[in-house]
Amino acid sequence: MSGMRPTGRLHLGHYFGTLLNWVAFQSEHECFYSIVDWHALTTQYTNTKEIKQHVFEIALDWLCVGIDPDQSTIYVQSAIPEIAELHLLLSMFAPHNWVERDPTLKDLVKVLAANEEEAWEKVSYGLLGYPVLQTADILSMKGELVPVGKDQEAHLEFARDLARRFNHLTGVDFFPEPKPEFTATPSLKGVDGLKMSKSYNNDIKIADTDADTIKRVKQMVTDRTRIAKADPGHTDLCEVPWPWYQIFSKDLTKQVKEECESAAIGCVDCKTRLATYINDYFAPYRAKRMELAKNPERVLQIIEHGNVKARRVAKQTISEMYDILGLFNWSDKQ
Ligand code: ATP
Ligand code: MG
């Protein structure tokens, strides 16, 4: 089980950090992939009008890279009210200091406002509960493996601890303890050398055009000590293009290293060549995306079909949970 927030089109960090695993896991596991729109509200609650369109864009991004609706369940979080119900039930078992010490939240607070007090005022009750809601997403489907990027490691630890705590306190081995799964590139850098992120304006989108991609790649930070083209470069000091060559063209790395370190090629030419590799790699996905975008009804059908399947699983989980807790199980009677 894994999910993504509909806060914008997906970038190559999502592709190399998570979607590669998502596609690979489809033939080995039963997969649930969720567009988590309630999670988008935790930070976008003053700007909700675009979320619906982003749900659609994310579905297109997933489908074009090979998430197969015949193999995987693709659904939207808000279509499964039982996830909200599970969030409420789990919140009773989640110690408040566990959510307060969430390192992802602490990082976010640093960028929300200039001073800490003002920033904490922007942290809603819902945002504080982010890891509990994420745990509800995973456990509603009884998720065991969670393919995510490195920045989600702490949230997964939280989910594991909460599952274990519920099992321990109820004395029933009910929830699996979900484990993160990483790709070989669990934290892809953006063009500025920081983690590629939708919110940092440093990303290359799966859906970008060739021209957008070339423009972005040219902004990549290279070897900061190399001033003139005639100066020999240092691949070990090259911040972004060099690690990216390892992803796109490993057999070319020997040649790139030689050309760079003998100043046979400048950074601009080197980046132009890299952009070509990126564009060639993504060309089939981009073409498929344009085809899929012509048929929005089909995309909606895929989501609706997934919603029905995911809801069935979530209802079962909730029903079993009421029995474990010894509460009335009203769902049995409705
Ligand atoms: P935002 O800036 O809105 O937080 P984001 O770009 O960080 O967006 P998310 O929707 O938070 O993207 O992340 C979705 C998934 O993609 C998560 O599993 C996350 O770990 C992974 N991911 C995001 N960025 C990267 C990256 N640069 N490298 C590897 N994995 C990534
Ligand atoms: Mg993020």
Side-chain angles (χ1 to χ4, degrees):
M1 192 281 146
S2 194
M4 287 191 196
R5 303 194 318 145
T7 51
R9 288 179 169 185
L10 299 182
H11 53 62
L12 305 201
H14 295 117
Y15 178 79
F16 288 106
T18 57
L19 293 173
L20 276 182
N21 268 345
W22 289 26
V23 171
F25 285 180
Q26 297 184 108
S27 51
E28 299 160 28
H29 304 283
E30 187 178 7
C31 298
F32 291 89
Y33 298 133
S34 175
I35 302 175
V36 289
D37 49 354
W38 288 329
H39 277 284
L41 287 178
T42 59
T43 53
Q44 312 275 89
Y45 55 90
T46 54
N47 179 19
T48 57
K49 299 287 183 290
E50 290 173 358
I51 294 178
K52 217 163 154 184
Q53 178 61 24
H54 288 150
V55 167
F56 185 69
E57 299 284 343
I58 294 221
L60 285 178
D61 283 328
W62 289 0
L63 294 169
C64 84
V65 300
I67 304 297
D68 174 2
D70 291 331
Q71 286 188 301
S72 302
T73 305
I74 297 173
Y75 62 105
V76 176
Q77 184 184 40
S78 61
I80 325 289
E82 288 73 19
I83 295 173
E85 203 174 343
L86 183 54
H87 171 244
L88 177 85
L89 292 173
L90 288 174
S91 75
M92 307 301 170
F93 291 84
H96 71 87
N97 61 344
W98 287 16
V99 286
E100 278 161 9
R101 70 175 178 227
D102 173 14
T104 319
L105 180 66
K106 286 189 174 158
D107 287 347
L108 187 66
V109 165
K110 282 186 207 141
V111 296
L112 278 179
N115 73 67
E116 203 168 315
E117 199 178 325
E118 214 179 293
W120 278 106
E121 274 167 25
K122 294 191 180 169
V123 176
S124 67
Y125 180 57
L127 178 58
L128 193 65
Y130 195 112
V132 185
L133 183 56
Q134 185 168 327
T135 306
D137 283 319
I138 300 166
L139 297 185
S140 58
M141 303 299 141
K142 301 258 185 86
E144 291 170 34
L145 296 181
V146 188
V148 282
K150 200 75 184 159
D151 60 334
Q152 290 300 317
E153 203 167 19
H155 281 156
L156 259 293
E157 203 176 311
F158 177 95
R160 222 166 30 248
D161 287 347
L162 190 51
R164 194 178 303 141
R165 185 171 156 86
F166 180 86
N167 293 349
H168 173 72
L169 293 174
T170 57
V172 183
D173 193 15
F174 180 57
F175 286 124
E177 291 179 18
K179 283 194 286 291
E181 278 286 327
F182 302 115
T183 65
T185 329
S187 186
L188 188 75
K189 283 182 181 181
V191 296
D192 56 359
L194 301 172
K195 187 200 93 130
M196 184 176 283
S197 176
K198 286 185 218 114
S199 357
Y200 297 170
N201 193 28
N202 66 354
D203 59 344
I204 298 172
K205 310 269 191 222
I206 294 172
D208 275 348
T209 62
D210 285 5
D212 295 333
T213 306
I214 293 167
K215 206 166 131 200
R216 271 297 208 207
V217 172
K218 286 195 173 155
Q219 295 167 0
M220 282 182 172
V221 181
T222 56
D223 168 5
R224 292 178 199 261
T225 65
R226 189 178 185 188
I227 311 295
K229 193 176 164 186
D231 299 338
H234 311 83
T235 45
D236 52 344
L237 296 180
C238 175
E239 290 187 32
V240 188
W242 175 248
W244 277 57
Y245 267 109
Q246 327 289 318
I247 299 173
F248 284 98
S249 182
K250 243 189 152 51
D251 39 327
L252 206 75
T253 49
K254 192 164 169 271
Q255 183 192 333
V256 171
K257 191 174 169 67
E258 275 167 18
E259 287 172 351
C260 169
E261 297 185 352
S262 64
I265 186 171
C267 292
V268 176
D269 291 337
C270 187
K271 288 194 270 191
T272 306
R273 177 172 56 191
L274 176 62
T276 309
Y277 277 92
I278 298 171
N279 283 333
D280 288 351
Y281 186 102
F282 283 96
Y285 301 146
R286 289 170 173 170
K288 189 169 169 197
R289 197 182 192 284
M290 284 211 265
E291 273 312 300
L292 289 162
K294 288 182 194 155
N295 195 351
E297 290 80 24
R298 169 81 191 114
V299 176
L300 212 58
Q301 265 174 6
I302 290 171
I303 294 175
E304 282 167 356
H305 181 73
N307 289 346
V308 173
K309 264 181 78 185
R311 187 150 190 213
R312 214 178 295 136
V313 179
K315 277 188 164 176
Q316 179 67 27
T317 305
I318 282 284
S319 168
E320 289 167 5
M321 207 172 164
Y322 280 118
D323 287 341
I324 289 170
L325 295 172
L327 299 179
F328 278 111
N329 196 344
W330 302 108
S331 63
D332 272 0
K333 299 175 182 55
Q334 281 162 359

